[in-house]
Amino acid sequence: MVHPKEYPVILIGAGPACITAAIQLKRSNISFLMIGKDPGGLIANANLIENLLGFPKGISGENFVSLILTQLKNHSITILEDEVLAVDYKESKYFVKTKQNQFVGKKIIIGTGTLPRKMNISDESLLFEQRKLFYEIKNTIHIKQPEKWIIIGSGDAAYDYALNLASRSNHVTILQRSESSKALPLLINRVQKISQIQVKCNVSVLKLDRKSSNVVLTVSEGHQETLLSADRVLVAIGRHPNTYFLSNDLSSKVDDLILQGSLFMVGDVKNKSFRQVSIAMGDGLWAAMTILGNFK
Ligand SMILES: Cc1cc2nc3c(=O)[nH]c(=O)nc-3n(C[C@H](O)[C@H](O)[C@H](O)COP(=O)(O)OP(=O)(O)OC[C@H]3O[C@@H](n4cnc5c(N)ncnc54)[C@H](O)[C@@H]3O)c2cc1C
């Protein structure tokens, strides 16, 4: 029987949190394996990042990801691009199963971010498979623009996506359930100044259908049901921690293992509403330095 390869540290995730941890581990001469699908992470979606030090004019998410991946390369760090399907903990070791392989780690850093909240209404999954409905913007860049988009949501991400799509000449309607938006006032002001973006308040989406090349939304506005139509729909109604791969047994031990210093949760996966790049990077750095301290 071939034994899975063993590492002092396994990192799961390839967003800002794990990338920062990986660079610090490398600088500290600690060997590790970094497994991540979709290198760069969620920030690739950002229209303009303005709260990161070092970028006085702000930077697009796409350019930021390109820089951090170059930084990884300059440190000769490679990402095993694979999806982790299961993680279990037995006899003081972590057993990590990916689509292609199995590995064992003495310590583990989990920076797997968040998953989008779904609406759970009819035809949502079908439209997603048909690339008519999206939860992120980064996979839409190659779509021939301009188009008519409907964004469902009222937070920072919904408003950021609207600005991004409008900058590519698309027409955008934001549908929000209540009268007011939860987005930063700065984003609301920017959206208000752009004629291609319309905001409709007090609208609940009841149903989604595909009619030839369009998506038709049945919505309730006040006491009335009406139909709206768009080329594509983007759903941005929140996100939740991504830990689907943890076994039930490991999930029940997470808090103890964090206290013992063998398991680290970094970035959005644990940061609740404090989901920001600088915080994620700080978490990654903290985890790597704590591990170095334990090895000394
Ligand atoms: C539209 C938008 C705009 C934003 N703008 C800003 C901004 O201006 N400023 C700011 O500070 N923050 C912003 N954010 C938030 C920022 O993107 C996150 O805080 C940051 O990306 C979190 O980094 P992370 O490493 O914790 O997680 P993520 O970036 O989510 O990375 C998670 C990584 O784990 C990988 N992964 C997940 N599951 C598995 C698995 N099972 N196996 C292997 N790999 C896996 C993912 O593919 C990804 O590589 C924005 C977010 C959005 C959506």
Side-chain angles (χ1 to χ4, degrees), residues 13-17 37-38 42-43 51 84 111 242 244 267-268 275-277:
K37 50 179 180 137
D38 198 10
L42 189 66
I43 194 64
N51 58 353
V84 169
N242 174 9
Y244 63 88
D268 282 13
R275 299 199 303 262
Q276 296 289 313
V277 169

Side-chain angles (χ1 to χ4, degrees), residues 118-256:
K118 308 249 164 102
M119 295 204 301
N120 293 324
I121 58 176
S122 73
D123 279 2
E124 184 176 0
S125 312
L126 183 68
L127 289 164
F128 176 71
E129 279 163 28
Q130 296 173 342
R131 298 185 54 78
K132 283 282 168 187
L133 181 144
F134 295 83
Y135 300 99
E136 287 181 24
I137 213 172
K138 69 182 174 205
N139 302 324
T140 70
I141 307 293
H142 70 280
I143 294 172
K144 210 168 151 229
Q145 326 269 342
E147 286 192 327
K148 198 175 154 197
W149 284 75
I150 285 180
I151 297 179
I152 302 168
S154 64
D156 288 342
Y159 276 61
D160 196 80
Y161 287 140
L163 292 166
N164 202 334
L165 284 168
S167 74
R168 289 187 267 138
S169 307
N170 294 290
H171 284 264
V172 184
T173 304
I174 300 176
L175 301 184
Q176 57 187 52
R177 254 203 320 217
S178 58
E179 187 62 42
S180 58
S181 161
K182 288 175 267 162
L184 284 173
L186 168 127
L187 294 175
I188 297 175
N189 284 341
R190 285 180 191 161
V191 159
Q192 281 168 349
K193 285 185 187 138
I194 297 187
S195 59
Q196 283 147 261
I197 308 176
Q198 192 198 0
V199 181
K200 275 175 160 284
C201 303
N202 303 312
V203 179
S204 297
V205 179
L206 306 172
K207 203 163 159 273
L208 298 162
D209 291 295
R210 174 97 190 245
K211 291 261 162 73
S212 67
S213 68
N214 280 354
V215 183
V216 175
L217 297 86
T218 308
V219 301
S220 101
E221 283 186 88
H223 297 297
Q224 276 190 329
E225 272 191 23
T226 50
L227 298 180
L228 300 172
S229 149
D231 293 303
R232 290 172 214 273
V233 171
L234 203 155
V235 178
I237 55 171
R239 304 187 64 91
H240 57 87
N242 174 9
T243 52
Y244 63 88
F245 44 83
L246 297 182
S247 70
N248 289 341
D249 182 51
L250 176 53
S251 293
S252 69
K253 292 179 179 144
V254 161
D255 290 345
D256 287 342

Side-chain angles (χ1 to χ4, degrees), residues 12-19 35-52 82-85 111-115 136-138 156-158 160-161 239 242 244-245 266-269 271 274-281:
I12 307 177
C18 277
I19 289 178
I35 311 170
K37 50 179 180 137
D38 198 10
L42 189 66
I43 194 64
N45 290 286
N47 182 46
L48 183 66
I49 312 166
E50 292 173 295
N51 58 353
L52 264 188
D82 200 349
E83 178 176 357
V84 169
L85 301 178
T112 43
T114 50
L115 290 172
E136 287 181 24
I137 213 172
K138 69 182 174 205
D156 288 342
D160 196 80
Y161 287 140
R239 304 187 64 91
N242 174 9
Y244 63 88
F245 44 83
V266 293
D268 282 13
V269 71
N271 284 339
F274 295 89
R275 299 199 303 262
Q276 296 289 313
V277 169
S278 304
I279 301 175
M281 295 193 302

